[in-house]
């Protein structure tokens, strides 16, 4: 379930602040993090990995005018695609609930040696 409540927006801020260089975003959601990351001067390029083609087709055209950086969209399973990518930072927001996402974030970070830093939604201050 996705929402743009103030509380949910606040949970994304720490990850957004880490964004620099080439950034991978795992999960489109409602696009808030994508939009905010694209505003950062430190960000040069964004790669979005989203499982749902339907979500990309429906939502991305509505927010695309707000994206200020070069954007590549890859539709597929983030757990399979992200380990093949190279980036300065990966921001993962594809978990089903907030909290307790540390094991999944750690596992994906371990499988992604060409990503310098991995942040996971619902992992409090976990940064790998």
């Amino acid at each position: 379930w996705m929402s743009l409540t103030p509380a949910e927006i606040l949970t994304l801020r720490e990850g957004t602040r880490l964004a620099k260089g080439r950034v991978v975003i795992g999960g489109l959601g409602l696009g808030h993090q994508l939009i905010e990351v694209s505003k950062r001067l430190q960000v040069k390029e964004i790669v979005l990995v989203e499982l749902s083609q339907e979500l990309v087709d429906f939502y991305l055209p509505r927010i695309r005018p707000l994206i200020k950086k070069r954007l590549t969209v890859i539709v597929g399973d983030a757990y399979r695609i992200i380990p093949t990518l190279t980036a300065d930072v990966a921001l993962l927001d594809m978990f089903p609930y907030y909290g307790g996402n540390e094991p999944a974030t750690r596992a994906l970070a371990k499988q992604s040696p060409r990503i310098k830093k991995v942040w996971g939604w619902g992992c409090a201050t976990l940064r790998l």
Side-chain angles (χ1 to χ4, degrees):
W1 181 258
M2 299 173 287
S3 67
L4 284 179
T5 63
E8 185 149 347
I9 289 170
L10 287 173
T11 65
L12 298 171
R13 289 175 91 186
E14 183 178 353
T16 300
R17 288 181 183 149
L18 294 174
K20 67 178 181 178
R22 187 169 200 249
V23 179
V24 171
I25 296 180
L28 174 58
L30 294 177
H32 175 74
Q33 190 162 47
L34 175 59
I35 293 166
E36 293 304 311
V37 165
S38 80
K39 293 177 185 177
R40 292 184 51 81
L41 296 176
Q42 303 91 328
V43 172
K44 304 300 178 206
E45 175 186 7
I46 303 169
V47 177
L48 171 67
V49 181
E50 170 55 51
L51 181 62
S52 170
Q53 181 69 57
E54 184 178 36
L55 184 62
V56 170
D57 291 345
F58 175 77
Y59 206 64
L60 197 57
R62 290 161 173 78
I63 63 170
R64 188 66 180 100
L66 303 172
I67 308 303
K68 307 297 181 195
K69 299 294 192 283
R70 185 172 71 181
L71 175 65
T72 301
V73 177
I74 302 172
V75 176
D77 184 347
Y79 292 99
R80 291 188 179 143
I81 294 169
I82 289 175
T84 70
L85 300 176
T86 300
D88 295 293
V89 178
L91 306 175
L92 309 178
D93 184 9
M94 66 253 187
F95 305 115
Y97 50 85
Y98 187 81
N101 299 318
E102 291 89 351
T105 300
R106 286 184 190 281
L108 193 53
K110 188 175 181 180
Q111 296 168 14
S112 307
R114 296 182 315 212
I115 297 178
K116 295 176 186 172
K117 186 173 285 195
V118 177
W119 174 89
W121 179 75
C123 293
T125 59
L126 177 66
R127 296 179 197 168
L128 306 172

